[in-house]
Amino acid sequence: MAEPTDAVRSRWNELREQVARHNRLYHELDAPEVPDAEYDLLVRELRALESEHPELADVDSPAQAVGGAASATFAPVTHAVPMTSLDNAMDADELRAWADRVARGLDGATARFVAELKFDGLAMSLRYEDGRMVQAATRGDGRVGEDVTANVRTIADVPERLRGDAPEVLEVRGEVYMSTAVFESLNAEYEAAGERPLVNPRNAAAGSLRQKDPAMTAKRRLSFWSYQLGEVVGGPEFAAHADTLDFMRELGFPVNPEVRSFDTIEEVAAYCAEREEHRHDLEYEIDGVVIKIDDLAQREALGFTSRAPRWAIAYKFPPEERTTLLRDIQVSVGRTGRTTPFAVLEPVFVGGSTVSMATLHNEDQVAVKDVRPGDTVIVRKAGDVIPEVVGPVLSMRPRGAKPWVFPTTCPCSIGSTLVRPEGEADTRCVEPACPFQRDQRIIYWASRGAMDIEGLGERTVVQLTEAELVRDVADIYDLTVDQVEALEGFARISAEKLVGSIQASKDRPLPKLLTALGIRHLGPAASEVLAAEFGTLRRVFEASDDDRAAVDGVGPVISAALSAWYDQAPNREFIDRLDAAGLNFGSEEEAAARAAAKAAIEQTLEGKTIVVTGTVPGYSRGEAEEAITSRGGKSPGSVSKKTTALVVGEGAGAGKLTKAEANGTPVVPADRFGELLETGEIPA
Ligand code: IVH
């Protein structure tokens, strides 16, 4: 392939800059400056250049980001018939209990069950008028979804026009999914191009539907299964669910062939067990079986609870388990010096994604599980998201495998001492100068929930500290474009971008700055109320212990932690350096404006405590917590008996989930977060 000429390079630079700028205007500021068509031309030209000269394309290319960035700009769609969710049955007994409730609801009349596969994708409502597709909307919170019509039109399975006699209005509900074959082939492609792989088919399907450019969705080769009717005007009368499935099939919708009817719940339970055993025999992922009452008159009689139909239930498969080799146990160091042992695993595909690491929490957990390097271990996804080492397969333990011993020195370059204080579960690196801790503090500072500095992730932080351009957090504000440009992997534009986003972070509101300081016990919720009460950073620190402790949501522990932190001279100097760098330390007016904005939001979560772990799609951690606190709820960083619910997303920590399960705290999957905010009720 021809080397790019100077002219090509300069056009490429120009395009990259323009596309990146428009991306930001469109996605983040919601203020596009050019019509979509013009923007699309720029992107297309850039993509064409990059595919002609692959050496120009890299993961940071804005042409890739066009697809990567989730847009928040899809129009809302109010569903004519709400898209409710389903109650779950975790085992055969819960299925039987549901069947008993159904029988009681029908005064003992017998019911016929239809069992369908529970596809692991994204619920979608397709609307047809006079046989033509007019709209496709996501489920959203069940009442209001998002208009993703342009993207759904790229799905080959979704008919544009219906065959035969189509009703005036027809809504078909079903699941958009990515087949495992497509998932694997896309990932092979991404890997070859050095791009970040997709996590799992479900996430990939969700992300693909949120593309701004339908051409990107088309490349993801999504599929669709229809399973339910929504609004129908001017159509035939149906007596049974099975008839509605036939009807959809006749009109040209893809209806999964694995639909079975049963007369007894025992037959249903046996079928569920059989499906579970063969769940991977399919070309797509399923996470359970959906059982519906066939007779539509009986459905009507049973009706709905506040969140779900009484006439259907989802039998959820338990988390999956696999065995793999435990290669090693290593220790990571957090920003507070806390160390966490983790399992280094022979990569294994489990619960829909490849797992190569899993936390082992602390020394005692390793001992309790008695996992040893060299063991074959059982790995599973807790709550279907967090990889967890269940335990060793003792019959396969290699001869001479020794119990693992917690290291006494930190894995960092200065090899500081690790200490486990008496009565505590955690082992800590007690040297504040530990480079690992320092790097983690900077990473935390730049993270989304704190100062949200785009582009300052782990890799870049390590590069900056290794090059000794940055020795502590405050140093980042002195970085120059020239310094960054000299680092490997950076060019002029990317260096400018990073320095720009670092400088932009100076204006973050006070609660973010307080959170970013990473003071022990001080999370976003307490930062929020402290900022509201005291207005400026100086006043937060200068207030008396008692005054701070008296603030609702703060208390003596946090207050004392703030004092202890500020008592240390290096920390006060650090604050002065931030001040000199021009960071926003807050003001009365800003605090008042935040209070006014908060008062305007419906307080659906009043009195509730919602803990979030992992990523909630569409929200940074800080935004998720803000969404909770702004609705009157509390969102502390850990699960306790007081927790109303735990929201669990991709990449969540197993500790919180285990604790929630032990306390019997309801667990809400991240994709139901919107519903929780809206209604204040815990989705089933
Ligand atoms: S019926 C009112 N059937 O599971 C009934 N849902 O956990 C509406 N799902 O939101 C749903 N396969 O996204 C139904 N064969 C199937 C399904 C199915 C997957 C999803 C759907 C729903 C979720 C509830």
Side-chain angles (χ1 to χ4, degrees):
M1 220 161 291
E3 252 306 284
T5 60
D6 284 353
V8 166
R9 273 194 187 275
S10 111
R11 177 65 184 149
W12 168 70
N13 266 326
E14 208 171 272
L15 284 167
R16 273 175 73 116
E17 251 172 284
Q18 287 181 10
V19 170
R21 202 172 92 78
H22 292 311
N23 273 352
R24 217 177 99 68
L25 286 167
Y26 186 99
H27 288 294
E28 289 168 34
L29 307 174
D30 207 5
E33 276 179 10
V34 292
D36 282 6
E38 202 172 313
Y39 165 86
D40 288 344
L41 279 180
L42 293 173
V43 175
R44 230 167 279 158
E45 190 185 342
L46 179 58
R47 285 211 190 114
L49 264 185
E50 292 187 348
S51 68
E52 227 172 283
H53 303 285
E55 62 270 52
L56 295 178
D58 60 47
V59 269
D60 290 334
S61 167
Q64 314 285 343
V66 184
S71 153
T73 53
F74 295 101
V77 174
T78 303
H79 298 298
V81 176
M83 291 179 80
T84 52
S85 69
L86 295 174
D87 281 335
N88 292 330
M90 296 305 189
D91 55 31
D93 279 342
E94 291 188 14
L95 266 185
R96 292 182 191 110
W98 169 71
D100 287 345
R101 290 197 296 278
V102 166
R104 279 198 301 276
L106 297 175
D107 294 329
T110 53
R112 197 170 167 73
F113 305 102
V114 177
E116 297 169 5
L117 302 179
K118 185 167 174 344
F119 312 108
D120 200 6
L122 221 86
M124 187 64 56
S125 184
L126 308 176
R127 188 176 173 89
Y128 291 78
E129 287 172 9
D130 300 322
R132 297 188 87 131
M133 185 168 102
V134 292
Q135 191 167 62
T138 62
R139 195 172 89 89
D141 62 11
R143 205 176 53 81
V144 180
E146 285 181 317
D147 187 332
V148 289
T149 314
N151 288 341
V152 170
R153 283 197 206 279
T154 71
I155 302 175
D157 284 346
V158 171
E160 187 59 43
R161 275 165 176 271
L162 302 182
R163 289 201 294 254
D165 229 1
E168 226 171 282
V169 173
L170 174 74
E171 274 182 11
V172 165
R173 269 91 195 256
E175 204 84 353
V176 172
Y177 67 96
M178 183 180 279
S179 74
T180 30
V182 168
F183 173 75
E184 279 162 16
S185 98
L186 285 175
N187 265 356
E189 240 176 71
Y190 293 161
E191 214 164 287
E195 290 171 30
R196 193 205 304 257
L198 304 165
V199 179
N200 60 41
R202 186 184 181 284
N203 262 25
S208 307
L209 282 172
R210 294 192 58 82
Q211 302 295 320
K212 184 198 173 289
D213 178 3
M216 288 299 289
T217 313
K219 284 196 187 142
R220 299 289 183 88
R221 288 172 281 156
L222 300 175
S223 306
F224 184 75
W225 288 125
S226 321
Y227 49 63
Q228 198 69 42
L229 290 179
E231 188 182 29
V232 184
V233 179
E237 291 286 314
F238 300 106
H241 179 67
D243 300 338
T244 68
L245 295 179
D246 289 340
F247 178 64
M248 289 190 266
R249 207 176 272 124
E250 279 159 24
L251 291 174
F253 290 98
V255 176
N256 190 274
E258 304 293 334
V259 180
R260 301 280 293 271
S261 294
F262 299 103
D263 287 319
T264 69
I265 200 70
E266 291 312 318
E267 288 169 288
V268 171
Y271 177 70
C272 291
E274 183 194 322
R275 293 272 35 149
E276 192 174 320
E277 205 182 317
H278 297 285
R279 65 184 286 185
H280 291 294
D281 295 358
L282 301 160
E283 282 149 9
Y284 41 85
E285 294 213 325
I286 57 170
D287 60 345
V289 175
V290 177
I291 304 105
K292 302 172 180 175
I293 299 299
D294 193 25
D295 187 306
L296 300 185
Q298 287 185 334
R299 280 194 187 183
E300 186 115 344
L302 288 164
F304 290 77
T305 65
S306 62
R307 4 158 254 268
R310 290 197 184 86
W311 45 261
I313 193 139
Y315 174 86
K316 290 267 277 183
F317 295 153
E320 281 190 285
E321 296 184 346
R322 286 274 185 283
T323 57
T324 190
L325 176 69
L326 176 64
R327 284 190 185 151
D328 196 7
I329 297 176
Q330 294 178 4
V331 167
S332 69
V333 185
R335 71 187 154 84
T336 59
R338 190 171 109 178
T339 60
T340 309
F342 63 95
V344 180
L345 303 162
E346 184 75 35
V348 60
F349 193 75
V350 52
S353 68
T354 303
V355 172
S356 54
M357 275 191 286
T359 176
L360 291 166
H361 304 292
N362 56 42
E363 186 174 13
D364 294 346
Q365 280 291 309
V366 181
V368 166
K369 290 188 171 162
D370 186 25
V371 281
R372 308 177 183 190
D375 268 344
T376 295
V377 292
I378 300 165
V379 175
R380 70 163 187 189
K381 285 280 186 67
D384 266 353
V385 254
I386 310 145
E388 181 184 26
V389 174
V390 181
V393 182
L394 286 174
S395 61
M396 294 175 76
R397 173 163 285 170
R399 231 178 243 221
K402 299 223 166 45
W404 181 73
V405 183
F406 211 99
T408 50
T409 52
C410 180
C412 75
S413 55
I414 58 171
S416 38
T417 314
L418 298 185
V419 181
R420 180 173 172 186
E422 229 183 273
E424 286 191 21
D426 290 324
T427 308
R428 292 179 177 276
C429 169
V430 290
E431 173 55 63
C434 160
F436 281 7
Q437 285 184 50
R438 186 258 330 261
D439 287 1
Q440 291 300 324
R441 281 196 295 269
I442 303 171
I443 294 163
Y444 180 72
W445 179 273
S447 66
R448 283 203 173 174
M451 300 299 267
D452 196 7
I453 304 177
E454 206 188 320
L456 191 54
E458 178 154 5
R459 226 184 85 205
T460 307
V461 168
V462 171
Q463 265 184 303
L464 289 167
T465 55
E466 277 183 355
E468 297 187 11
L469 289 171
V470 170
R471 285 180 191 80
D472 71 7
V473 167
D475 283 346
I476 63 172
Y477 293 101
D478 296 332
L479 281 172
T480 65
V481 174
D482 287 340
Q483 285 174 328
V484 176
E485 192 183 354
L487 296 175
E488 203 190 308
F490 277 91
R492 193 72 193 167
I493 296 170
S494 47
E496 280 170 3
K497 208 167 131 192
L498 178 59
V499 172
S501 48
I502 291 173
Q503 293 301 321
S505 75
K506 288 179 176 174
D507 296 332
R508 298 282 179 264
L510 180 57
K512 299 284 183 200
L513 175 61
L514 272 167
T515 306
L517 294 175
I519 297 172
R520 223 175 153 190
H521 306 298
L522 178 63
S527 297
E528 192 83 49
V529 289
L530 282 169
E533 180 69 24
F534 298 106
T536 74
L537 185 70
R538 298 282 184 192
R539 270 196 235 146
V540 170
F541 283 120
E542 282 155 14
S544 74
D545 253 357
D546 287 348
D547 282 353
R548 270 195 310 254
V551 177
D552 190 24
V554 180
V557 176
I558 296 176
S559 185
L562 279 154
S563 293
W565 191 86
Y566 200 63
D567 275 349
Q568 292 182 23
N571 289 336
R572 284 197 304 275
E573 278 159 31
F574 172 62
I575 294 291
D576 290 341
R577 285 183 63 202
L578 296 178
D579 203 0
L583 270 80
N584 171 24
F585 276 18
S587 68
E588 295 286 343
E589 297 78 55
E590 263 183 66
R594 276 197 304 273
K598 191 174 160 189
I601 298 178
E602 201 185 330
Q603 301 294 290
T604 48
L605 296 175
E606 192 86 67
K608 297 198 166 87
T609 302
I610 313 289
V611 178
V612 180
T613 177
T615 322
V616 180
Y619 293 82
S620 69
R621 169 60 59 79
E623 283 164 355
E625 284 168 355
E626 209 164 293
I628 294 165
T629 49
S630 64
R631 284 166 180 79
K634 286 196 178 135
S635 186
S638 57
V639 172
S640 73
K641 290 245 155 62
K642 287 190 217 147
T643 308
T644 318
L646 174 68
V647 176
V648 178
E650 200 71 40
K656 291 197 180 91
L657 192 72
T658 313
K659 199 149 176 203
E661 276 166 359
N663 290 348
T665 305
V667 172
V668 177
D671 60 356
R672 313 288 298 276
F673 185 60
E675 196 178 328
L676 174 66
L677 294 178
E678 174 100 359
T679 61
E681 282 175 33
I682 313 301

